[in-house]
Amino acid sequence: MTTVTDSEVLRDALGLLRDREEVAERLLASSAKHSFDPDKELDWDAPFEDGKWFWPPELLSLYDTPMWRRMSEDQRLELSRHEAASLGSLGIWFEIILMQLLVRHIYDKPVTSNHVRYALTEIADECRHSMMFARVIKKGGSPTYPVPRLYHNLARVLKTVSTTPGSFAATLLGEEILDWMQRLTFPDERVQSLMRGVTRIHVVEEARHVRYAREELRRQMVRA
Ligand SMILES: [Fe+2]
Ligand SMILES: [Fe+2]
């Protein structure tokens, strides 16, 4: 039977911290190499292309329903424009919550650590993403689609009181679902070039966020 001494507990804790710094260092190096300024990276002046989707049809809510079969091609394309704007609105909402959770996560941590520096880098990524989504919604000319008031207010509570494991678990859930759809969107040649560009940038930068959240959640679970 083994007994855990204080020095072993301390060694484990130091190991976790070192691991945390190493992960953050790798993510910072990757951020330095593969980060994008959507305002410069994408061609915002190009008009939308006729007959192209704003989101892959198979991912639309009505796809292959009786109603879908009665819709004209133009109506289906129009639906894709609105659903892309709806997902963009959801993305902005989600990212704003995440930014606050990250700010809270680092509030008590050493400001010169890689871990904090990476969190700030991720917040900067999310700022650019949210501005990019807003710009693409505006260019598409549809309204924004805010989440229902109840969810909006529940999230107000969550982002204020959530503890770290809860925050990172929520991050993973939200980011991975959107990520799955975006991975189907950016390679799809039937989709508008601008939408493909937006989703490509987002997929590349979100891969790091998922990694950061997954590793932090793992460390928190070891200690729990
Ligand atoms: Fe993002
Ligand atoms: Fe993210």
Side-chain angles (χ1 to χ4, degrees), residues 20-82:
R20 187 188 240 176
E21 284 298 274
E22 280 166 11
V23 167
E25 195 180 347
R26 279 199 292 278
L27 292 172
L28 281 165
S30 159
S31 305
K33 263 191 252 156
H34 307 289
S35 288
F36 305 95
D37 177 352
D39 287 337
K40 298 202 182 96
E41 191 78 22
L42 303 172
D43 185 358
W44 293 95
D45 294 328
F48 285 118
E49 300 135 285
D50 284 341
K52 289 211 169 180
W53 299 91
F54 287 75
W55 206 245
E58 299 79 14
L59 298 179
L60 299 176
S61 58
L62 294 179
Y63 180 73
D64 212 21
T65 58
M67 185 181 267
W68 178 265
R69 290 192 277 277
R70 286 196 305 273
M71 286 161 76
S72 68
E73 190 67 1
D74 278 351
Q75 285 175 320
R76 293 171 181 172
L77 291 167
E78 181 71 357
L79 178 69
S80 81
R81 187 168 68 89
H82 285 269

Side-chain angles (χ1 to χ4, degrees), residues 144-157:
T144 54
Y145 290 93
V147 295
R149 204 68 207 164
L150 175 66
Y151 295 152
H152 184 85
N153 284 326
L154 283 174
R156 193 193 306 285
V157 178

Side-chain angles (χ1 to χ4, degrees), residues 98 122 126 175 206 209:
L98 177 65
E122 180 167 329
E126 301 298 21
E175 290 194 332
E206 287 301 317
H209 302 179

Side-chain angles (χ1 to χ4, degrees), residues 116-177:
V116 167
R117 215 172 108 212
Y118 182 74
L120 291 169
T121 303
E122 180 167 329
I123 293 165
D125 290 349
E126 301 298 21
C127 285
R128 295 193 306 279
H129 296 167
S130 288
M131 288 189 286
M132 169 173 78
F133 293 152
R135 193 168 175 183
V136 81
I137 294 170
K138 213 165 168 190
K139 184 174 164 71
S142 72
T144 54
Y145 290 93
V147 295
R149 204 68 207 164
L150 175 66
Y151 295 152
H152 184 85
N153 284 326
L154 283 174
R156 193 193 306 285
V157 178
L158 171 103
K159 68 194 175 71
T160 310
V161 303
S162 167
T163 54
T164 302
S167 302
F168 281 99
T171 302
L172 283 175
L173 198 69
E175 290 194 332
E176 296 211 43
I177 294 169

Side-chain angles (χ1 to χ4, degrees), residues 67-126:
M67 185 181 267
W68 178 265
R69 290 192 277 277
R70 286 196 305 273
M71 286 161 76
S72 68
E73 190 67 1
D74 278 351
Q75 285 175 320
R76 293 171 181 172
L77 291 167
E78 181 71 357
L79 178 69
S80 81
R81 187 168 68 89
H82 285 269
E83 290 206 9
S86 170
L87 283 164
S89 309
L90 183 72
I92 295 171
W93 174 67
F94 185 69
E95 290 188 336
I96 288 173
I97 294 168
L98 177 65
M99 285 186 241
Q100 184 170 346
L101 292 174
L102 283 167
V103 167
R104 287 185 46 229
H105 173 66
I106 60 175
Y107 189 63
D108 292 310
K109 296 196 168 49
V111 287
T112 54
S113 63
N114 293 335
H115 187 71
V116 167
R117 215 172 108 212
Y118 182 74
L120 291 169
T121 303
E122 180 167 329
I123 293 165
D125 290 349
E126 301 298 21

